């Protein structure tokens, strides 16, 4: 099994990478967003938390297309007590259901590589698994931004 991921940061944060702000483009009306990342450095562990850390790169293009009305989620007064900066559920956001489509590829220094055939879609996941595929698109503010 290959596990292409961002490694484990000294802080303990794992499987997460910062991508350039320019990698994300959002259509002004907020109904579509695209994330384009090319050859970002990751590691391939071959085993989750296995520590092999084979140098690797991945590339992907993902587009989220919003559908239907936006849903507004607001924190209640109780969520904001005593300090919203420390309450993980304290956020204010407007989201809509979406369909995510994308292409993915990657390779490691040992010669293993993969690429999607065609475009993968959250809608297709629903058909294959018999369960709803999940994607949302929206804006949120949280923590100290609420105070």
């Amino acid at each position: 099994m290959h596990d292409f991921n961002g490694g484990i940061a000294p802080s303990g944060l794992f499987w997460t990478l910062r991508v350039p702000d320019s990698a994300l483009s959002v259509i002004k009306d907020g109904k579509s967003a695209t994330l384009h990342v090319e050859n970002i450095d990751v590691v391939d562990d071959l085993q989750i938390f296995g520590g092999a850390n084979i140098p690797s790169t991945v590339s992907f293009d993902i587009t989220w297309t919003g559908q239907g009305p936006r849903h507004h989620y607001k924190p209640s007064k109780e969520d904001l007590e005593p300090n919203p900066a420390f309450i993980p559920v304290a956020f204010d956001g407007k989201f809509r259901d979406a369909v995510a489509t994308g292409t993915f590829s990657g390779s490691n220094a040992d010669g293993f590589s993969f690429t999607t055939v065609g475009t993968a879609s959250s809608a297709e996941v629903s058909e294959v698994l018999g369960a709803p595929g999940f994607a949302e698109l929206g804006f949120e503010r949280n923590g100290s931004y609420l105070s």
Side-chain angles (χ1 to χ4, degrees):
M1 179 171 101
H2 293 271
D3 177 25
F4 286 78
N5 65 76
I8 302 174
S11 67
L13 183 65
F14 60 96
W15 294 336
T16 305
L17 291 171
R18 178 165 176 80
V19 298
D21 290 345
S22 61
L24 180 67
S25 61
V26 179
I27 301 298
K28 196 171 191 169
D29 66 4
K31 291 184 181 177
S32 178
T34 299
L35 181 63
H36 172 77
V37 175
E38 226 173 287
N39 296 320
I40 193 166
D41 291 328
V42 295
V43 295
D44 183 3
D45 282 334
L46 298 180
Q47 177 183 353
I48 296 176
F49 301 118
N53 294 329
I54 301 166
S56 306
T57 61
V58 293
S59 299
F60 49 89
D61 279 292
I62 305 170
T63 299
W64 293 266
T65 305
Q67 302 177 334
R70 288 192 307 179
H71 306 283
H72 190 180
Y73 299 96
K74 297 186 277 189
S76 69
K77 183 177 179 186
E78 292 78 29
D79 290 335
L80 299 177
E81 309 264 334
N83 182 340
F86 301 109
I87 310 290
V89 297
F91 75 96
D92 185 347
K94 294 179 181 177
F95 299 90
R96 62 174 33 104
D97 291 341
V99 171
T101 57
T103 58
F104 307 86
S105 63
S107 62
N108 72 22
D110 288 350
F112 173 80
S113 65
F114 71 93
T115 188
T116 54
V117 176
T119 302
S121 166
S122 61
E124 291 169 354
V125 171
S126 298
E127 294 171 18
V128 171
L129 298 178
F134 178 76
E136 279 187 323
L137 181 62
F139 299 91
E140 79 169 67
R141 56 192 183 116
N142 58 36
S144 60
Y145 298 108
L146 289 175
S147 45

